[in-house]
């Protein structure tokens, strides 16, 4: 079906975001920095010391993730029990606050490298974790307000209208009731044939 508008000879592609453009460069820079720091520490303290540091960080990261997971499971089971008994949890009590950041700290500790270990240890400090949590919440709220000024339905409508290939096909469905192949009694069971 033609609409009268010619198709462009070359489909337009969306421009890559800055994150997609600079992420590979940032990963390479991070890897080079980690390797450089590991060689500096290995020269100063010895290779076996660096190996012990990395293994110790991996073990500590596993312990941290396991403890945070147990705490999250305990909080979830308590919330389910309270909901089943009809008791509402207190409004100000957020006992599971920071569990995600603690798990992120454990993950950073597990990833081999001195920079990631330092970041993971920093996230284990409660005041740092609270500051990062508050800043992250504010950034998320700003982004949510900027991204969708309307309702959630508006966001879905906008996402549906902007397809990756840029094509939109308007149309409507017309049911022809005079079609002999169409069932004359919709919604009723068909007659049984022997």
């Amino acid at each position: 079906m033609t609409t009268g508008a010619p198709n462009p000879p070359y489909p337009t592609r969306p421009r890559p975001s800055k994150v997609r453009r600079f992420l590979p460069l940032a990963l390479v820079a991070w890897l080079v920095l980690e390797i450089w720091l590991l060689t500096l520490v290995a020269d100063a303290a010895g290779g076996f010391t660096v190996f012990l540091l990395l293994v110790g960080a991996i073990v500590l990261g596993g312990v941290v993730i396991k403890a945070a997971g147990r705490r999250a499971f305990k909080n979830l089971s308590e919330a389910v029990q309270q909901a089943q008994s009809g008791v509402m949890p207190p409004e100000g009590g957020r006992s599971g606050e920071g569990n995600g950041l603690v798990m992120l700290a454990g993950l950073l500790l597990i990833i081999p490298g001195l920079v990631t270990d330092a970041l993971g240890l920093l996230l284990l400090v409660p005041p740092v974790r609270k500051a990062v949590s508050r800043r992250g919440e504010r950034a998320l709220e700003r982004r949510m307000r900027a991204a969708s000024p309307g309702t959630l339905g508006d966001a879905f409508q906008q996402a549906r209208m902007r397809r990756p290939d840029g094509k939109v096909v308007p149309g409507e469905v017309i049911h022809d009731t005079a079609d002999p192949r169409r069932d004359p009694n919709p919604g009723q069971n068909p007659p049984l044939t022997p």
Side-chain angles (χ1 to χ4, degrees), residues 163-176:
R163 297 185 50 109
D165 59 357
K167 295 180 184 177
V168 176
V169 181
E172 62 183 86
V173 177
I174 300 173
H175 293 288
D176 188 12

Side-chain angles (χ1 to χ4, degrees), residues 1 12 20 22-23 33 35 44 58 85 88 93 97 102 116 119 124 148 160 174 177 185:
M1 174 187 347
T12 58
R20 290 178 78 189
F22 294 115
L23 185 64
L33 177 67
I35 292 170
I58 290 171
S85 65
M88 293 299 292
E97 186 174 320
V102 172
T116 56
L119 290 175
L124 289 178
S148 131
R160 187 180 65 81
I174 300 173
T177 56
N185 299 321

Side-chain angles (χ1 to χ4, degrees), residues 11-45:
T12 58
R13 286 205 259 178
R15 295 183 62 175
S17 68
K18 289 182 181 181
V19 173
R20 290 178 78 189
R21 189 179 309 151
F22 294 115
L23 185 64
L25 181 63
L27 284 174
V28 168
W30 168 70
L31 285 172
V32 168
L33 177 67
E34 289 285 7
I35 292 170
W36 179 69
L37 283 175
L38 286 173
T39 56
L40 278 180
V41 173
D43 285 342

Side-chain angles (χ1 to χ4, degrees), residues 34 57 108-109 113-125:
E34 289 285 7
L108 287 172
L109 286 169
L114 298 177
V115 173
T116 56
D117 291 348
L119 290 175
L121 289 173
L122 271 175
L123 278 178
L124 289 178
V125 177

